[in-house]
Amino acid sequence: MNKRLMLGVGVTALVLCGCFSKVEVLPAVSTPPVFAPLPEPEAQTQVGLAISGGGSRAATFAAGVLEALGEMRIKDSGGERSLLERVQYISSVSGGSLATAYYAALKPPKAEPVLGDRGLAPAYQTFFTAYKAAMQENFEWPAALRQVLLFRAFNPTKGAYSLADVWDGKFFHGMTFATLYEREARGDSPRVILNGTSYNSGKRFVLTTLPYADFDYDFVGWFIEDLRVRLGLAGKTEGLAIIQRNLESAREHLLPLTFEQIGADHHQLRLSLGVATSASFPPVVGPVTYSVAGNPPYQHVGDGGLFDNLGTESLTTLFLKKIPKDDPKKRGLIIVVDAAYPFDAAKYDLDKNKKGFEVFKDDPSRIVGIMEERADAYQLMLWDALRTQGILLPDFAHLRVEVLKHSEATWSGYQDLPEECRGEFAPDVTPETIQQAVSQIPTLFRITPCHGALLVKAAHKVVEAHRDRIVKFLEAQP
């Protein structure tokens, strides 16, 4: 065999190595839950953040929102403290999971006050400066380089590992879910829920240290009991059995899967790989394949945005379990940090484009987006109908949802732009043009300095617009 042929065979073998499957093998656990339950928060009002997907756009906007929420002062029986000190849970998707994991892993400990005399305390000023800069780093090129150097180029599954390796090298340094649990147990971090999607079943897959029992909400029992009374009063009970069967089917699909559910011990699972699992969007990255003790069935888990791109469903299910309708003193506030790409943002370009196929070339996730738009519309209609009828859900005084959208910030013109953007907009730029530019920031794991600065400023604007409603709800007496 000549040298040229040998070289060709060697290169081919190395390239093909990247095509081999990669399975994340977890040990079996015999006694659930995997992590011991922690004491319930003592506060009557539960506070949670739901952080959307959207790559570095979502991660940067989330960092800006958390900084602004940190500056928000809330009065309670213990005096005055930052809203961040009231946050007990964070549920996230994709790029939002990177921001969530960074915050949970690296924020100052509980003993460190968030607020000083005039704004954030020094430790938190330092933290948020590093946080915002970290979320704007270019993660795509280092991950792509690892794919090439480690002969993974033709294996999207290993792309998730390349991203995880990059994040480990920069931030997490091998931190595991066991380490995260230790921070949660000390009160140094909120409880974290990273959301993925099981390609096996289509169900939501949550990567968390919370026990499955916290998500096992019997909405069928609540609903059927309420409906039985209502239908009985109206003399219409013949359809109850069909409704119950349909609800049981819905419950089976809507309740999440967890590592506890599949009998896996994820104590030593890297937090970075959990984030990469939540952010894996095939065919470019992922999914991540998990197995218990190396045996089938294999669980293929990818982008949580395929099921719910806001991270709200896990948090809502959790809160419904912790805020029973028959306890008027229990309340909940969910703040949704929504930097998802607005579905209608592409309309500006599509209205002028004659080449229909470019829709998929420029935005391959648009098909998923169409289905998500319809699902969101039905969900909003259903939830509002149930809430106004007093069925299943707490009323608005007991469960409040505040949605903070990056695209809803109000701009006043050129003078309102961050310094990093002054050279990219004309001096006579209109507020509408700035808002449109913010809406069209692409979904990538890299971001320009101007886009990053716009998102951070948008975050502070949107939080300020919602400040009074948030403060009023949290300061009200149950």
Side-chain angles (χ1 to χ4, degrees), residues 54-67:
S56 293
R57 180 187 65 248
T60 303
F61 182 65
V65 167
L66 264 67
E67 179 181 49

Side-chain angles (χ1 to χ4, degrees), residues 439-477:
S439 297
Q440 293 183 302
I441 295 173
T443 304
L444 301 166
F445 271 116
R446 54 185 168 86
I447 197 167
T448 68
C450 172
H451 284 167
L454 280 172
L455 287 165
V456 170
K457 189 158 189 178
H460 282 262
K461 285 177 174 291
V462 172
V463 169
E464 185 59 34
H466 287 257
R467 176 185 296 273
D468 289 345
R469 288 196 296 274
I470 292 172
V471 171
K472 184 177 179 180
F473 180 83
L474 287 177
E475 292 185 350
Q477 294 299 317

Side-chain angles (χ1 to χ4, degrees), residues 281 305-307 309 340-347 350 356 359-360 363-379:
F281 192 88
L306 297 177
F307 192 99
N309 199 40
Y341 193 85
F343 183 76
D344 59 358
K347 187 177 186 299
L350 291 175
V359 173
F360 308 111
D363 185 9
S365 66
R366 194 155 184 82
I367 296 175
V368 176
I370 291 171
M371 294 186 288
E372 185 181 352
E373 284 292 294
R374 288 178 59 81
D376 287 347
Y378 279 115
Q379 184 190 69

Side-chain angles (χ1 to χ4, degrees), residues 255-457:
L255 290 182
L257 282 173
T258 67
F259 285 117
E260 179 184 328
Q261 290 296 94
I262 65 172
D265 182 346
H266 60 297
H267 274 80
Q268 298 310 312
L269 177 64
R270 288 185 296 157
L271 183 61
S272 62
L273 189 59
V275 174
T277 301
S278 176
S280 293
F281 192 88
V284 180
V285 179
V288 177
T289 298
Y290 290 96
S291 174
V292 181
N295 301 314
Y298 300 105
Q299 191 67 236
H300 309 285
V301 186
D303 181 27
L306 297 177
F307 192 99
D308 163 29
N309 199 40
L310 296 180
T312 54
E313 289 203 16
S314 291
L315 201 53
T316 304
T317 305
L318 187 76
F319 274 33
L320 288 176
K321 187 79 179 284
K322 296 181 180 296
I323 307 170
K325 287 180 61 180
D326 54 1
D327 187 348
K329 292 186 178 181
K330 291 287 186 180
R331 304 191 310 151
L333 171 65
I334 297 175
I335 299 175
V336 182
V337 184
D338 182 5
Y341 193 85
F343 183 76
D344 59 358
K347 187 177 186 299
Y348 304 112
D349 295 328
L350 291 175
D351 285 350
K352 305 171 187 175
N353 193 334
K354 294 187 294 185
K355 300 178 180 179
F357 188 74
E358 290 189 2
V359 173
F360 308 111
K361 183 184 74 174
D362 298 337
D363 185 9
S365 66
R366 194 155 184 82
I367 296 175
V368 176
I370 291 171
M371 294 186 288
E372 185 181 352
E373 284 292 294
R374 288 178 59 81
D376 287 347
Y378 279 115
Q379 184 190 69
L380 287 172
M381 181 174 65
L382 172 64
W383 280 53
D384 283 346
L386 292 175
R387 183 175 288 205
T388 55
Q389 293 296 313
I391 302 173
L392 184 64
L393 301 172
D395 59 28
F396 291 97
H398 288 85
L399 180 59
R400 175 70 60 84
V401 179
E402 287 287 329
V403 182
L404 313 181
K405 290 179 176 285
H406 74 295
S407 56
E408 292 185 351
T410 301
W411 303 86
S412 59
Y414 185 81
Q415 71 279 4
D416 201 14
L417 289 169
E419 190 64 37
E420 294 89 339
C421 296
R422 296 293 175 89
E424 300 192 19
F425 290 86
D428 61 348
V429 65
T430 64
E432 293 75 20
T433 299
I434 299 173
Q435 189 173 35
Q436 182 178 331
V438 173
S439 297
Q440 293 183 302
I441 295 173
T443 304
L444 301 166
F445 271 116
R446 54 185 168 86
I447 197 167
T448 68
C450 172
H451 284 167
L454 280 172
L455 287 165
V456 170
K457 189 158 189 178

Side-chain angles (χ1 to χ4, degrees), residues 111-339:
E112 194 73 47
V114 178
L115 290 168
D117 294 334
R118 299 182 179 180
L120 293 173
Y124 273 88
Q125 290 179 22
T126 301
F127 168 74
F128 277 111
T129 298
Y131 187 15
K132 291 180 292 184
M135 296 301 97
Q136 297 177 58
E137 290 192 34
N138 184 335
F139 304 115
E140 290 189 359
W141 290 114
L145 183 61
R146 288 190 68 82
Q147 285 289 92
V148 173
L149 294 179
L150 298 177
F151 305 105
R152 298 172 171 175
F154 296 99
N155 191 329
T157 295
K158 292 183 180 177
Y161 284 83
S162 292
L163 272 175
D165 292 345
V166 170
W167 291 329
D168 258 333
K170 290 178 177 291
F171 317 129
F172 302 125
H173 308 297
M175 182 177 182
T176 64
F177 276 82
T179 319
L180 172 64
Y181 177 75
E182 291 171 3
R183 281 182 61 86
E184 292 174 340
R186 292 194 300 266
D188 294 339
S189 163
R191 306 303 302 274
V192 169
I193 305 164
L194 307 180
N195 292 277
T197 302
S198 166
Y199 286 91
N200 303 51
S201 63
K203 297 180 69 169
R204 185 164 25 105
F205 194 104
V206 295
L207 299 92
T208 183
T209 64
L210 287 162
Y212 175 75
D214 281 3
F215 301 98
D216 190 13
Y217 178 64
D218 184 20
F219 66 81
V220 175
W222 275 96
F223 201 175
I224 290 298
E225 184 59 33
D226 191 282
L227 203 57
R228 180 177 285 110
V229 173
R230 290 169 183 265
L231 292 177
L233 292 175
K236 300 177 181 179
T237 58
E238 67 277 3
L240 196 60
I242 297 174
I243 293 173
Q244 184 166 357
R245 186 167 63 248
N246 291 340
L247 285 173
E248 291 288 357
S249 176
R251 180 179 185 274
E252 172 62 26
H253 189 75
L254 292 174
L255 290 182
L257 282 173
T258 67
F259 285 117
E260 179 184 328
Q261 290 296 94
I262 65 172
D265 182 346
H266 60 297
H267 274 80
Q268 298 310 312
L269 177 64
R270 288 185 296 157
L271 183 61
S272 62
L273 189 59
V275 174
T277 301
S278 176
S280 293
F281 192 88
V284 180
V285 179
V288 177
T289 298
Y290 290 96
S291 174
V292 181
N295 301 314
Y298 300 105
Q299 191 67 236
H300 309 285
V301 186
D303 181 27
L306 297 177
F307 192 99
D308 163 29
N309 199 40
L310 296 180
T312 54
E313 289 203 16
S314 291
L315 201 53
T316 304
T317 305
L318 187 76
F319 274 33
L320 288 176
K321 187 79 179 284
K322 296 181 180 296
I323 307 170
K325 287 180 61 180
D326 54 1
D327 187 348
K329 292 186 178 181
K330 291 287 186 180
R331 304 191 310 151
L333 171 65
I334 297 175
I335 299 175
V336 182
V337 184
D338 182 5

